[in-house]
Each structure stands twice: as structure tokens, then as C-alpha cells.
């Protein structure tokens, strides 16, 4: 993927924050160790290909919140690893997405946006259909000086993507 990204001129690739958690603390520790070992190998390739690996925390995975991603990324001495910041995921795990932007600005290489209902269940909605405060998020993104891409995730709207994209664009 890293070689293909370089060939295509992509600056980043994204990967999930490890496999699903089992609930067992020792299993989580072992899975995190394995994930870290594999990412260490990938980071060496990323450095040579000049492509950045962005790890995306996600509810239910080994890395699902801001403290876990911070701890994970601090274990690397490389500019070739960072975070794909899916703000809806942080909302799902009980965090304030705007505050996450301020806390993790040094690691963010890309943003994903989707709305999430007030019950914080991990189900991506179009912006404006849930409970996320997008004004605070955009204020935070502007305040930290981020000028990269922000992607609205529409995969839950694959039956009518053009209408979904238009509604998301109009709302945002």
C-alpha cells in the first residue's frame, strides 16, 4: 500500500487502530504489542517511500480514544506516522471532538467527519442528522491552523451517494 501510495502521489495511507478488543486486559496488551510491532515494520517502509501512515482510532478496536492513540504514537520516533482523526469515533467513546482537535493537533494528518446520534452508537450519519457540534469542530480546526483535507464519510449512504453528498455539502 505504501509503495502504491507513493506511485499515485498520495501523501498518506490510513489504517484502523488494531483489531477488535476482546475485553481481556492481557489479550489487549498482547494485541497492542503485535500491532505496534507490525506498524514499526511499516513505518520503516513509509520513511523510505515518503508516505505517512495515519492510524485511525475506532470504537471497539485496540486504539479507540485520545489517550490510547497518544500513548501509541509517542512510542514512535518518526514523522512517518500520525493519526487519521475521525471525529465521530471520538464522540462515540465519550470525548468532545473539538477538544480532541486541540489535544492531538501534532499528530493529525487528515480528518473524517460524520454525525453520530445522541446515544453515541457507532453509526455514521450525515452531518446535521446527529448530535455533533460542527461549529465547535470547525472553530478548533481553524484555530490550530489545519489546511489539509477533511473527508465526509458517506459509506452508509451507498444506495444514494450523490444525494447524501449534496446534503452533507449543503449542511456544512
Amino acid at each position: 500500500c505504501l509503495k502504491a501510495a507513493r506511485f499515485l502521489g498520495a501523501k498518506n495511507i490510513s489504517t484502523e487502530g488494531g483489531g477488535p478488543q476482546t475485553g481481556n486486559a492481557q489479550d489487549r496488551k498482547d494485541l497492542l504489542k503485535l500491532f505496534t510491532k507490525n506498524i514499526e515494520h511499516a513505518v520503516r517502509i513509509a520513511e523510505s517511500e515518503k508516505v505517512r501512515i495515519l492510524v485511525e482510532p475506532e470504537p471497539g478496536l485496540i486504539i479507540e480514544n485520545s489517550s490510547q492513540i497518544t500513548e501509541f504514537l509517542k512510542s514512535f520516533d518518526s514523522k512517518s506516522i500520525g493519526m487519521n482523526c475521525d471525529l465521530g469515533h471520538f464522540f462515540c467513546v465519550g470525548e468532545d471532538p473539538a477538544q480532541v482537535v486541540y489535544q492531538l493537533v501534532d499528530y493529525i494528518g487528515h480528518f473524517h467527519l460524520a454525525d453520530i446520534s445522541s446515544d453515541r452508537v457507532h453509526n455514521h450519519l450525515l452531518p446535521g442528522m446527529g448530535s455533533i457540534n460542527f461549529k465547535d469542530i470547525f472553530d478548533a480546526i481553524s484555530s490550530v491552523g489545519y489546511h489539509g483535507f477533511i473527508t465526509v464519510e458517506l459509506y452508509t449512504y451507498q444506495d444514494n451517494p450523490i444525494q447524501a453528498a449534496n446534503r452533507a455539502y449543503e449542511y456544512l
Side-chain angles (χ1 to χ4, degrees):
C1 289
L2 290 160
K3 291 176 187 293
R6 181 168 186 212
F7 175 79
L8 295 170
K11 295 178 182 178
N12 307 310
I13 66 164
S14 182
T15 188
E16 295 177 327
Q21 294 187 47
T22 62
N24 178 317
Q26 184 59 45
D27 284 348
R28 183 190 179 282
K29 189 175 180 179
D30 292 342
L31 289 170
L32 181 59
K33 186 176 180 180
L34 178 62
F35 181 65
T36 302
K37 179 182 172 190
N38 287 321
I39 292 294
E40 285 170 349
H41 175 72
V43 165
R44 288 192 296 275
I45 297 167
E47 289 170 344
S48 68
E49 296 297 329
K50 299 184 179 13
V51 174
R52 196 167 182 210
I53 299 170
L54 302 179
V55 178
E56 181 177 332
E58 185 166 336
L61 297 185
I62 296 167
I63 300 171
E64 65 177 349
N65 62 45
S66 61
S67 62
Q68 291 168 341
I69 190 68
T70 301
E71 180 182 340
F72 177 75
L73 293 174
K74 282 184 176 181
S75 71
F76 293 88
D77 184 24
S78 176
K79 294 185 186 280
S80 293
I81 188 163
M83 181 182 66
N84 184 36
C85 188
D86 188 314
L87 295 163
H89 290 170
F90 288 108
F91 185 80
C92 287
V93 297
E95 296 188 68
D96 177 345
Q99 290 306 309
V100 167
V101 173
Y102 293 116
Q103 292 168 1
L104 301 177
V105 62
D106 293 335
Y107 302 111
I108 297 170
H110 185 82
F111 284 99
H112 278 180
L113 290 183
D115 216 339
I116 303 291
S117 67
S118 61
D119 62 10
R120 296 184 185 252
V121 171
H122 183 204
N123 180 34
H124 292 232
L125 303 172
L126 288 174
M129 294 182 66
S131 296
I132 291 181
N133 183 329
F134 287 97
K135 182 187 179 320
D136 286 355
I137 286 172
F138 285 119
D139 286 349
I141 290 171
S142 177
S143 176
V144 300
Y146 179 82
H147 297 291
F149 286 101
I150 300 172
T151 302
V152 177
E153 287 192 280
L154 300 174
Y155 69 86
T156 54
Y157 297 92
Q158 59 191 352
D159 292 339
N160 202 342
I162 293 172
Q163 181 184 14
N166 285 333
R167 286 182 64 191
Y169 181 79
E170 288 170 12
Y171 178 80
L172 294 172

